[in-house]
Amino acid sequence: MVVHEGAEGGCAKRSVSDDFPSTALTIEMWMRGTHRNSYFETLVSYGVASVNNAMFLAIDERTEPPTRRDQLSLYVSGSACHSGVSSNVLDGAWHHVAVTWSSADGATVFFRDGATLATKTCHTGEHIPTGGCLVLAQEMDAVTAES
């Protein structure tokens, strides 16, 4: 379990091998959070030396169009796929959050508490580079030899 209270270093970081899923993935977790008036809250981030943000899942807290406050967003190779609907997960209660993605057809499904939140087509034909570093509860800003 990672407890992240916004403090520097409040994350878990792990180097992963070359068998990281590059063309399809499922991310799921239990989370509890509240609004912090930030740009977005990163749930999971993965990067390699050539692409800092090769993949990350975040809660977008921006309020200006075309985004929706608290929407789940999956980024692959720096490109965003927004759920387009409010996730309502930053209410201080525990929530089960999940996303599935397949490069073959771009099928992306966002889930909240066991129910489908949104279905999108995103990142068709893209791949996530292997051999990087996975971080929980913090965005990957740089991948270095120490990562």
Side-chain angles (χ1 to χ4, degrees):
M1 176 197 281
V2 174
V3 178
H4 180 57
E5 299 296 334
E8 184 69 23
C11 67
K13 185 187 303 186
R14 176 82 173 154
S15 293
V16 294
S17 66
D18 288 335
D19 62 356
F20 187 82
S22 64
T23 59
L25 59 80
T26 298
I27 301 169
E28 67 176 301
M29 70 194 70
W30 283 95
M31 60 150 301
R32 181 174 65 177
T34 57
H35 291 285
R36 296 185 329 157
N37 294 320
S38 64
Y39 188 63
F40 59 78
E41 300 294 331
T42 302
L43 302 176
V44 177
S45 178
Y46 172 80
V48 296
S50 61
V51 184
N52 292 340
N53 292 316
M55 182 282 302
F56 70 97
L57 177 63
I59 302 169
D60 194 332
E61 291 197 67
R62 297 175 291 175
T63 56
E64 68 274 1
T67 63
R68 303 281 193 278
R69 186 165 176 90
D70 296 342
Q71 72 179 339
L72 292 172
S73 298
L74 176 68
Y75 292 76
V76 174
S77 298
S79 177
C81 179
H82 302 295
S83 64
V85 296
S86 181
S87 66
N88 296 315
V89 297
L90 295 177
D91 60 1
W94 283 100
H95 294 281
H96 184 259
V97 173
V99 64
T100 63
W101 168 73
S102 172
S103 173
D105 58 5
T108 306
V109 184
F110 297 90
F111 299 90
R112 177 192 61 225
D113 298 329
T116 300
L117 183 66
T119 301
K120 300 287 184 175
T121 301
C122 305
H123 314 305
T124 303
E126 293 288 329
H127 76 281
I128 301 168
T130 60
C133 185
L134 184 71
V135 177
L136 302 178
Q138 187 169 312
E139 183 182 357
M140 175 72 66
D141 286 329
V143 178
T144 64
E146 293 82 34
S147 292

